[in-house]
Amino acid sequence: MNIVWHLVVLIVLTNGLASNGASTSTNVSNSVRPSVVNIGSLFSFGTIVGRVAKLAIEAAIEDVNADPTVLNGTQLKITMHDSNISGFLGIIEALRFMETDTVAIIGPQNAVTAHVISHIASELQTPLLSFTVEDPTLSPLQFPFFVRTTRSDLFQMSAIAEMVDYYGWREVVAIYVDDDHGRNGIAELGNKLAEKRCKISYKAPLVFKPTRDNITDLLVQVALTESRIIVVHVYDNSGFLIFDVAKSLGMMGTGYVWIASNWLSTMLDTSFPLSEDDMANLDGILTLRVYTPDSELKRKFISRWSNLTKGKPANGPLGLNTFVLYAYDTVWLLAHAIDAFLNQGGKITFSNDSRLTGIRSKLNLDAMSVFDEGNLLLQNILKTNMTGLTGPFGFTPERNLIRPAYEILNVIGGMRRIGYWSNYSGLSVLPPETFYNKPANRSSSNQRLHDPIWPGQSSQKPRGWVFPNNGRRLRIGVPYRVSFREFVSQVEGTDMFTGYCIDVFSAALNLLPYAVPYKLQPFGDGRKNSSRTELVRLITTGVSVIFVCRGVFLLVK
Ligand SMILES: *[C@@H]1O[C@H](CO)[C@@H](O)[C@H](O)[C@H]1NC(C)=O
Ligand SMILES: *[C@@H]1O[C@H](CO)[C@@H](O)[C@H](O)[C@H]1NC(C)=O
Ligand SMILES: *[C@@H]1O[C@H](CO)[C@@H](O)[C@H](O)[C@H]1NC(C)=O
Ligand SMILES: *[C@@H]1O[C@H](CO)[C@@H](O)[C@H](O)[C@H]1NC(C)=O
Ligand SMILES: *[C@@H]1O[C@H](CO)[C@@H](O)[C@H](O)[C@H]1NC(C)=O
Ligand SMILES: *[C@@H]1O[C@H](CO)[C@@H](O)[C@H](O)[C@H]1NC(C)=O
Ligand SMILES: *[C@@H]1O[C@H](CO)[C@@H](O)[C@H](O)[C@H]1NC(C)=O
Ligand SMILES: *[C@@H]1O[C@H](CO)[C@@H](O)[C@H](O)[C@H]1NC(C)=O
Ligand SMILES: *[C@@H]1O[C@H](CO)[C@@H](O)[C@H](O)[C@H]1NC(C)=O
Ligand SMILES: *[C@@H]1O[C@H](CO)[C@@H](O)[C@H](O)[C@H]1NC(C)=O
């Protein structure tokens, strides 16, 4: 049902794009500065990010309207629609905004909706400012009216790739939610790893709402692979379950490395403190958090936060996460841009899109209007240069927020910072602004993080790989013959072997920090000495000898 409606909307709009009619213009407001400017916002109130972002946006609107230095005499009026974690509702709610005279929309919350409604926004010239969508593929060339007011995963994935390289690992497994957000983030991780001559050796996609069984099936596959470096790029709804299942499968122990993208830090920031059981599952994980420099402005807002959340009917925790800060700054960015727009004589007028008139449908598409000077507002948004809660706030020519940086955190009871990553200086134990007025130096000897505590309470850096266990075992050929029985001989009637060589071999295996499954196979007929020629022939068929002890050959197949 949802899919059918989705298609109806898209088809109608795509047809609209094909013809290029003129539009009729009327002035909605004749005064030079309107008394009210309407903006919309679109996100899911029920999510961890949505719940707190709503409070931040309301606080920002109140602050803007109370501040005589911006939009003097003009009130910002915001209408909030709940997309209720549904791509379909997100699209419909966005269309509803386009029917009212809305100059810009704050949202959407997720990448799936952003891909669809960015087409509509371009068509109707209404800027979309998303403080949550990190999907790096939403390009300004394809979607000129999509403005990202948070960090692109382009940078988060660079940070993860540099961490992998810094620790000397080569291959990672990626577990991700199989939608635009997950897929496109992980594709970027692949690119960034390739620049470091590293790679994703196994991709494990997960449905949006996975069951415990789905996760178990997936993690069993992951455990069979060679890499022990697992990057998890999902939403908070499935994240905890992943680590819970991983724990039950013994995958949160020594030897494993888990790197969670910023969904985990966001979740912990919002819901902290968690129950001790939940926290214990997470020990040793590394995660990232968007870095925002310390400032007087930010400190004031943090101390105000408990007032803002007090008495709010919340269905869950209301801790302050970085998206709260970006949501607040996004409203101010828009206020400054609208102010500049009005100062330049910009008019808030709307026209009926003549390409849509005459399309009679229950969706009432012909009521959607084009914001005539939307492009001028967009240019003002991109030119804005302000300092907000998140620090200096403005755009590079590629339309990314300036100075991308992350904190690198080690979950151990709580979150302990082990360093920073910035686009400017790479990995460091000092905050990024220490470096901005020095020449950039990314030389590898400058890269540094504090030592984390790894899974299994280990302080030793995991080597990052094991012999793959996916149904293949080391086959070890053992001479089955008459002489040198003290070195190796088969226990009669069993397939076990004893002897000096076997003892040396198992002692050596026990020293390795990972398990090597193997099978001893008698080689020869037990009467004649086994033939060296036959052994050499085996090697030519792809079996290779890696260890020899007085008559014991270790053959790897
Ligand atoms: C719209 O406003 C402009 C300037 O305020 C004015 O010149 C123009 O006549 C108005 N158009 C209509 C249709 O009222
Ligand atoms: C705001 O508007 C009022 C009245 O229109 C004016 O007196 C005041 O100077 C303006 N303030 C600023 C900062 O522009
Ligand atoms: C959101 O959607 C769920 C089911 O998908 C529904 O149960 C709930 O009532 C909806 N909430 C709102 C506020 O529409
Ligand atoms: C997830 O699990 C459900 C039921 O446990 C099953 O029906 C579904 O096919 C699974 N999906 C995947 C992608 O494995
Ligand atoms: C919080 O609210 C109280 C009472 O309303 C007020 O006295 C206090 O100044 C507020 N604190 C902040 C940081 O706004
Ligand atoms: C645009 O079309 C709608 C519906 O057809 C109509 O109600 C509205 O008056 C039109 N607006 C303008 C500015 O022409
Ligand atoms: C932004 O403003 C600050 C001072 O307010 C200035 O130093 C800086 O150069 C400006 N940046 C741009 C890109 O205009
Ligand atoms: C990140 O660094 C690269 C290379 O130094 C630079 O070209 C790019 O503009 C930077 N991006 C941002 C958003 O600062
Ligand atoms: C970068 O840092 C390294 C180590 O601190 C130093 O040896 C090197 O000279 C620096 N390079 C530049 C260009 O400053
Ligand atoms: C097996 O090899 C040993 C040592 O090379 C030799 O002494 C012995 O006679 C051989 N036995 C047979 C049955 O060939």
Side-chain angles (χ1 to χ4, degrees):
M1 190 58 187
N2 282 2
I3 290 168
V4 173
W5 277 96
H6 191 125
L7 285 179
V8 169
V9 175
L10 282 180
I11 289 165
V12 171
L13 287 169
T14 320
N15 286 347
L17 292 172
S19 70
N20 205 0
S23 40
T24 48
S25 185
T26 40
N27 291 357
V28 167
S29 158
N30 285 322
S31 68
V32 177
R33 286 187 73 109
S35 56
V36 172
V37 173
N38 292 314
I39 60 177
S41 84
L42 188 62
F43 50 88
S44 305
F45 297 171
T47 59
I48 270 196
V49 168
R51 262 198 308 267
V52 286
K54 185 164 183 289
L55 299 177
I57 290 175
E58 285 164 353
I61 294 280
E62 207 173 283
D63 293 352
V64 165
N65 285 337
D67 188 334
T69 63
V70 65
L71 283 173
N72 188 15
T74 300
Q75 294 284 301
L76 268 193
K77 181 161 172 285
I78 192 158
T79 310
M80 296 194 178
H81 290 175
D82 186 358
S83 54
N84 197 10
I85 327 182
S86 149
F88 171 67
L89 276 184
I91 293 156
I92 297 303
E93 297 296 345
L95 290 173
R96 280 178 55 201
F97 277 128
M98 315 286 181
E99 291 180 2
T100 60
D101 295 337
T102 303
V103 299
I105 296 174
I106 296 179
Q109 186 167 342
N110 70 51
V112 179
T113 313
H115 276 273
V116 178
I117 71 172
S118 293
H119 286 288
I120 307 171
S122 305
E123 186 58 16
L124 303 178
Q125 304 190 40
T126 310
L128 291 178
L129 291 89
S130 177
F131 60 92
T132 49
V133 172
E134 298 167 316
D135 174 354
T137 65
L138 282 152
S139 114
L141 297 177
Q142 187 184 4
F143 300 118
F145 279 79
F146 176 82
V147 179
R148 187 198 321 279
T149 57
T150 191
R151 299 298 178 197
S152 163
D153 271 342
L154 177 69
F155 300 106
Q156 173 157 233
M157 295 307 161
S158 294
I160 294 177
E162 287 185 32
M163 285 161 68
V164 169
D165 183 49
Y166 170 78
Y167 288 117
W169 302 314
R170 283 290 156 258
E171 294 189 357
V172 308
V173 171
I175 297 178
Y176 58 98
V177 53
D178 197 6
D179 69 3
D180 299 83
H181 169 69
R183 269 196 308 272
N184 296 335
I186 289 303
E188 192 58 48
L189 176 63
N191 297 341
K192 294 295 172 189
L193 285 170
E195 287 172 13
K196 304 275 169 198
R197 297 171 190 269
C198 302
K199 66 172 186 179
I200 299 175
S201 58
Y202 184 71
K203 286 190 183 180
L206 205 54
V207 290
F208 175 67
K209 280 187 183 154
T211 62
R212 203 177 172 89
D213 287 346
N214 294 152
I215 293 177
T216 308
D217 291 350
L218 186 107
L219 289 185
V220 165
Q221 292 308 311
V222 168
L224 293 176
T225 64
E226 194 168 316
S227 174
R228 283 294 177 258
I229 315 300
I230 306 170
V231 175
V232 186
H233 187 51
V234 297
Y235 296 116
D236 47 63
N237 67 345
S238 53
F240 270 4
L241 195 53
I242 292 176
F243 293 125
D244 197 41
V245 174
K247 179 116 184 164
S248 69
L249 293 174
M251 295 172 72
M252 298 303 293
T254 315
Y256 281 90
V257 172
W258 292 86
I259 302 175
S261 59
N262 61 334
W263 66 267
L264 180 62
S265 62
T266 301
M267 186 155 175
L268 294 179
D269 280 339
T270 319
S271 336
F272 202 78
L274 295 175
S275 76
E276 247 167 58
D277 280 355
D278 278 341
M279 271 326 278
N281 279 351
L282 305 178
D283 273 353
I285 298 175
L286 299 182
T287 182
L288 293 89
R289 180 201 277 143
V290 172
Y291 173 70
T292 55
D294 193 28
S295 69
E296 184 61 30
L297 216 55
K298 184 172 147 188
R299 276 195 300 274
K300 271 198 187 135
F301 186 80
I302 291 172
S303 63
R304 195 175 149 202
W305 185 248
S306 57
N307 271 14
L308 289 174
T309 53
K310 204 184 317 172
K312 295 289 171 191
N315 315 315
L318 291 170
L320 194 158
N321 58 44
T322 40
F323 291 112
V324 167
L325 306 177
Y326 280 102
Y328 184 90
D329 282 357
T330 300
V331 173
W332 273 96
L333 170 74
L334 195 50
H336 284 299
I338 293 172
D339 201 21
F341 168 87
L342 294 173
N343 287 342
Q344 290 160 17
K347 298 277 176 312
I348 298 188
T349 60
F350 296 85
S351 310
N352 277 348
D353 189 335
S354 64
R355 284 173 281 173
L356 293 174
T357 51
I359 298 172
R360 292 285 163 213
S361 75
K362 290 199 177 78
L363 288 171
N364 202 19
L365 286 175
D366 54 354
M368 298 208 302
S369 51
V370 177
F371 177 18
D372 297 321
E373 296 189 44
N375 195 42
L376 180 62
L377 177 60
L378 175 68
Q379 296 316 318
N380 276 300
I381 289 172
L382 297 173
K383 269 198 312 225
T384 302
N385 171 18
M386 61 176 237
T387 299
L389 300 179
T390 59
F393 202 69
F395 298 91
T396 64
E398 303 81 41
R399 287 174 56 167
N400 289 307
L401 286 183
I402 55 174
R403 295 189 170 178
Y406 288 83
E407 285 174 84
I408 298 167
L409 308 163
N410 180 208
V411 184
I412 195 85
M415 286 188 285
R416 188 174 69 101
R417 183 171 52 228
I418 58 166
Y420 304 87
W421 175 90
S422 75
N423 187 45
Y424 190 74
S425 47
L427 301 169
S428 67
V429 294
L430 294 174
E433 57 272 18
T434 327
F435 303 98
Y436 288 134
N437 43 21
K438 296 181 192 155
N441 186 344
R442 298 288 293 255
S443 83
S444 57
S445 57
N446 267 356
Q447 305 294 299
R448 188 154 170 252
L449 295 175
H450 291 300
D451 293 333
I453 305 289
W454 301 101
Q457 306 288 333
S458 163
S459 58
Q460 183 151 18
K461 185 193 84 180
R463 63 185 291 170
W465 59 275
V466 293
F467 280 113
N469 200 4
N470 38 4
R472 302 195 320 180
R473 294 196 283 179
L474 277 183
R475 291 194 306 149
I476 298 165
V478 179
Y480 180 42
R481 59 180 184 181
V482 285
S483 54
F484 298 122
R485 295 189 61 87
E486 66 279 14
F487 284 104
V488 51
S489 62
Q490 190 163 17
V491 179
E492 205 134 335
T494 73
D495 50 7
M496 284 161 58
F497 288 80
T498 56
Y500 174 73
C501 289
I502 301 295
D503 293 345
V504 170
F505 177 64
S506 25
L509 277 192
N510 287 340
L511 290 178
L512 295 176
Y514 50 86
V516 179
Y518 66 92
K519 183 173 177 3
L520 298 176
Q521 267 185 351
F523 175 67
D525 61 10
R527 291 187 299 277
K528 290 199 296 289
N529 285 337
S530 40
S531 137
R532 303 267 156 120
T533 325
E534 173 59 9
L535 185 66
V536 171
R537 194 194 63 78
L538 273 179
I539 293 170
T540 63
T541 63
V543 177
S544 56
V545 180
I546 63 171
F547 173 73
V548 183
C549 157
R550 192 63 187 153
V552 178
F553 310 99
L554 183 55
L555 308 178
V556 185
K557 175 71 182 161

